[in-house]
Amino acid sequence: MATALEKPTVTVESAPAPPPRKGFRAYWHLYAAISPFYLLFICFGLVPVGFSLYLSFHRWDGLGPMEWAGLSQYQYLLGDSDFWSSIGNTIVIWALATFPMIFLAMVTAVLLNSAVRFKNAYRFAYFLPNVTSVVAIAIIFGSVFSTNFGLVNALLQAVGLDQVAWLNTPWGIKVAVATLMTWQWTGYNAIIFLAGLQTIPGELYEAARMDGAGPVQTFFRITLPMMRPVLLFVLVISTVTGLQSFSEPQVLLQNTSNDSTFSGGPGHAGRTMVLYFFQQTFDNNDFGYGAAVAWGIFLVVVLFSIINWRLVQRRGED
C-alpha cells in the first residue's frame, strides 16, 4: 500500500541582523575635516544674506539705531525711476556684451580645437584677460576709448569718420563697457566651449564627412546640438555675471562725472544695478534701502536666468 507523500519541509534562514548604527562619535573626525567650509559659509555667506533681508525692512544709516520700515522700502523701490533706469542700462550692456562674446567664444573654441601646433600657447593667451585685474583692464580701455587721444577714434579718423565721445554719450558709454566685458570673458568661455568640443566623438564627424556634409552643416547638425548643455551653462553664467557688472563701469567712468563715483558717467548712462546699490548704500548712507535694492537685483538676476534656461531648453526639445 502506497504511503501518502509527505509535504517537504522548507527551512528559511533568518536574514542577518543589520549592523549596529554608528553614531556621531564614530565619524566626528570626518565632520571635523569638512567643518571649516561650512563654518566659513555660515559666517560670511548665510548670516550676511539673512541680515541683509532683515535690514531691508528697516531704515538705518549705519551708525544710529534701526527704525522699522516694513514693506515701505520695497514699495518705494517699485516706483523708483532711477532703479528701473539702472535695470535698463544693465540689460542693454549685458545684451551688447553677452551675445557677441558667446559668438566669438564659440568661434575661438572651434579654431583652437582644430589647431595642431601651439595649442597650449593659444589657450593661455585667450584665457589671460580673465585673470588680469579688472581695474587695469578698465584703465587701458579708458585710454582706448578716449575722445581726443583714443585708439578707436584714431582709427575712425584714419578712415575719414568723425570722432565719437565714447565716454560722454549714452550709447558710447554702453558700447565701451560692453566691449570691455566682451574682451574680458571671451577667452574664459572659449576654454569652456573647447572642453565641450573635445567630448564630442570623432566618429560623428567622420560619418558626416562620408555622407557629404560640409563644415557649416556639420556645425549646425552635430556640433551645436551636442554643445547645448555647455551653451546653457555659459549663457546662465554670463547672465549672472553680466547683470551684476560693477567694476567695469565704475572704474571706466569714475572720472567722467562730478556727481558721484557710482553715478555711471554723464546722464547715468552706465549706472548698472549694482552701481545703483553702492550709490544708495555708501554715498547716501541708506543701508536699509540699499539692502532692498540688493534683493531687487537678486530677483532680476533669477528671473533672467530662468528665462534663458527655458529658451535654451525649449529649442533643445524642438
Side-chain angles (χ1 to χ4, degrees):
M1 184 176 180
T3 60
L5 296 176
E6 295 181 357
K7 185 177 181 180
T9 58
V10 178
T11 59
V12 180
E13 297 182 358
S14 60
R21 294 184 178 181
K22 297 182 179 180
F24 175 80
R25 294 181 178 179
Y27 302 104
W28 69 269
H29 56 287
L30 301 178
Y31 290 109
I34 64 175
S35 62
F37 168 79
Y38 292 99
L39 293 176
L40 292 175
F41 173 74
I42 292 173
C43 294
F44 299 101
L46 194 60
V47 172
V49 169
F51 180 73
S52 67
L53 181 62
Y54 171 79
L55 185 60
S56 65
F57 295 101
H58 293 78
R59 295 186 181 91
W60 189 44
D61 60 359
L63 296 176
M66 293 185 182
E67 179 183 352
W68 174 256
L71 295 175
S72 61
Q73 308 267 39
Y74 292 97
Q75 292 175 352
Y76 181 79
L77 181 66
L78 293 176
D80 189 355
S81 59
D82 291 335
F83 176 68
W84 290 105
S85 175
S86 69
I87 293 178
N89 294 335
T90 305
I91 293 174
V92 171
I93 293 173
W94 167 79
L96 291 175
T98 300
F99 297 111
M101 178 267 297
I102 291 178
F103 172 77
L104 293 174
M106 180 64 76
V107 173
T108 303
V110 172
L111 294 177
L112 288 176
N113 192 43
S114 60
V116 179
R117 302 177 61 185
F118 308 113
K119 284 186 176 182
N120 293 331
Y122 291 141
R123 295 173 186 176
F124 173 77
Y126 282 109
F127 191 76
L128 185 61
N130 186 253
V131 298
T132 306
S133 172
V134 179
V135 177
I137 296 173
I139 293 174
I140 294 174
F141 269 77
S143 301
V144 170
F145 285 98
S146 176
T147 302
N148 297 323
F149 306 102
L151 178 62
V152 177
N153 279 334
L155 295 176
L156 292 177
Q157 287 183 320
V159 297
L161 299 177
D162 296 331
Q163 290 184 346
V164 177
W166 294 102
L167 302 181
N168 292 283
T169 57
W171 274 102
I173 289 173
K174 292 179 174 63
V175 170
V177 175
T179 304
L180 189 157
M181 295 171 62
T182 300
W183 184 84
Q184 181 186 7
W185 291 101
T186 296
Y188 173 82
N189 291 304
I191 299 300
I192 296 178
F193 282 140
L194 178 61
L197 288 173
Q198 292 178 345
T199 62
I200 301 177
E203 293 81 3
L204 296 178
Y205 294 106
E206 294 178 2
R209 283 193 295 267
M210 293 180 62
D211 292 338
V216 177
Q217 291 179 326
T218 302
F219 177 79
F220 285 101
R221 297 295 181 88
I222 297 178
T223 304
L224 200 58
M226 297 292 290
M227 289 287 291
R228 184 168 285 110
V230 182
L231 181 62
L232 174 61
F233 170 80
V234 169
L235 185 59
V236 172
I237 295 300
S238 300
T239 300
V240 173
T241 56
L243 295 180
Q244 298 183 74
S245 57
F246 166 74
S247 300
E248 298 88 353
Q250 196 272 332
V251 179
L252 188 62
L253 304 171
Q254 63 179 346
N255 296 324
T256 60
S257 177
N258 297 325
D259 185 10
S260 169
T261 306
F262 308 109
S263 63
H268 309 297
R271 184 172 60 186
T272 60
M273 294 186 293
V274 180
L275 269 179
Y276 184 67
F277 157 72
F278 270 79
Q279 185 182 39
Q280 294 300 315
T281 305
F282 300 107
D283 274 358
N284 299 339
N285 292 325
D286 194 347
F287 288 85
Y289 185 63
V293 171
W295 279 98
I297 295 172
F298 170 76
L299 294 178
V300 172
V301 172
V302 170
L303 177 62
F304 269 82
S305 299
I306 293 175
I307 292 174
N308 289 330
W309 180 76
R310 290 297 301 169
L311 288 176
V312 175
Q313 288 293 100
R314 183 174 298 178
R315 291 183 180 180
E317 294 173 358
D318 295 340

